[in-house]
Amino acid sequence: MSMVTPGSGTPPIPHTGAGVGPLLRDWRQQRRVSQLELALRADSSARHISFIETGRSRPSEDMVLRLAEHLDVPVRERNALLLAAGYAPRYPETPLDSSAMDAVRQGVERLIQAYEPYPALVVDATYTVLAANRGIAMFLDGVPESLLAPPLNAMRLTLHPQGLAPRIRNLREWRTHLLAQMERRIALHRSEPLRALYEEVAAYPVPAADPEPADEAGAEPVPYFALPMRIEHDGRILSFVSSISTFNTPMDVTVAELAVETFLPADPATLKYLQSLVS
């Protein structure tokens, strides 16, 4: 599946006119860092940090970026801090279909294709699917077209009662894992579209208990090394653990918000089945 350009990105935090100080204070408090600790990290003083947060001192562009770095502020929100301080944004947001992004786009496509027959996909900051390999196709059997229409969203597809949810045998566990993942991302990015998505998928109905597969009743349990997603496919139960990769030290908002999720077989039966697909 070729990479697609998302319909809309995550909008930046709007500048309220209150200045950069309150925004930096909010990030510092969210990260649970004291003024003194932040000052030590940024080679400054607690007095100067206090003056910046109260608006008594205007930080330099370099200081804004240094504080953002030590507070682990996402790239998109670093631009918002710079704007609030009266400086131009530092990080571009290059459209994914731009020729300037050819190396990124082609590299990611080669990566997920090389991962076949194991499933892999690429998502943006709001879990919009930008690319997927043929291994993902096994998850999509029987999913209605309404959920597969662009823009395809990985969280909606997984947790919707007409999506993958009825086939996930440990749905309650997997749902808890996915919602916790979204909560961590919301805390990091402060994205209103992401929060709206979270509220939508968290409201989907959940079965009272996960069903026990008939062919596994009384079977010896598999010692999983991480929480698996156990999904029914073509009359068998497949188990996968997922891994998420992002770009290191990105200098572009679009690149910073890309994530590659890969699914690794979590038991011998799943591994054997996937290998049989290419033998």
Side-chain angles (χ1 to χ4, degrees):
M1 185 183 297
S2 298
M3 265 189 124
V4 297
T5 303
S8 61
T10 304
I13 298 175
H15 174 35
T16 62
V20 70
L23 293 177
L24 283 169
R25 182 184 61 234
D26 287 348
W27 281 110
R28 179 181 60 78
Q29 292 175 343
Q30 184 173 312
R31 298 294 186 259
R32 299 184 179 182
V33 176
S34 69
Q35 289 181 344
L36 177 59
E37 184 178 354
L38 180 58
L40 292 173
R41 293 181 185 179
D43 193 24
S44 182
S45 68
R47 177 184 176 88
H48 186 43
I49 300 298
S50 176
F51 278 18
I52 290 174
E53 291 185 353
T54 58
R56 295 179 63 184
S57 177
R58 180 183 181 229
S60 67
E61 182 179 10
D62 177 70
M63 177 58 78
V64 173
L65 292 172
R66 203 184 322 159
L67 294 176
E69 175 71 23
H70 290 292
L71 290 172
D72 195 25
V73 177
V75 171
R76 182 183 292 276
E77 282 71 29
R78 295 185 194 192
N79 279 344
L81 291 174
L82 288 168
L83 284 170
Y87 303 110
R90 173 67 64 90
Y91 304 95
E93 184 175 2
T94 309
L96 197 56
D97 58 357
S98 167
S99 60
M101 299 288 277
D102 284 351
V104 172
R105 189 175 58 254
Q106 294 169 9
V108 170
E109 287 178 348
R110 284 195 296 269
L111 177 65
I112 63 174
Q113 289 169 6
Y115 199 70
E116 294 174 354
Y118 305 160
L121 72 162
V122 184
V123 297
D124 66 9
T126 55
Y127 296 97
T128 297
V129 178
L130 305 179
N133 69 5
R134 288 177 294 182
I136 290 292
M138 73 177 70
F139 293 156
L140 306 183
D141 292 345
V143 176
E145 288 296 326
S146 59
L147 284 178
L148 298 178
L152 178 63
N153 186 276
M155 286 295 179
R156 188 176 290 118
L157 172 67
T158 303
L159 298 178
H160 195 283
Q162 294 181 345
L164 304 184
R167 292 163 42 208
I168 298 177
R169 312 308 288 186
N170 59 334
L171 176 61
R172 296 179 68 86
E173 278 187 310
W174 193 246
R175 174 182 180 275
T176 298
H177 156 67
L178 292 183
L179 293 180
Q181 180 188 121
M182 294 183 73
E183 289 169 357
R184 290 192 297 271
R185 184 171 289 193
I186 289 170
L188 179 63
H189 291 276
R190 301 181 177 184
S191 165
E192 288 304 320
L194 186 57
R195 182 173 293 279
L197 176 66
Y198 174 88
E199 292 175 354
E200 175 192 336
V201 299
Y204 291 158
V206 186
D210 290 331
E212 180 184 10
D215 60 350
E216 292 192 7
E220 184 176 348
V222 176
Y224 294 113
F225 53 89
L227 177 66
M229 177 182 70
R230 302 176 64 250
I231 186 168
E232 186 176 354
H233 170 72
D234 196 24
R236 56 175 55 82
I237 305 298
L238 303 178
S239 296
F240 297 92
V241 293
S242 69
S243 173
I244 298 176
S245 303
T246 57
F247 283 87
N248 191 28
T249 59
M251 301 298 292
D252 186 283
V253 174
T254 300
V255 175
E257 295 179 347
L258 291 179
V260 180
E261 182 166 15
T262 53
F263 293 85
L264 183 70
D267 58 33
T270 301
L271 175 62
K272 181 178 180 180
Y273 173 71
L274 292 178
Q275 290 177 337
S276 73
L277 298 180
V278 293
S279 61

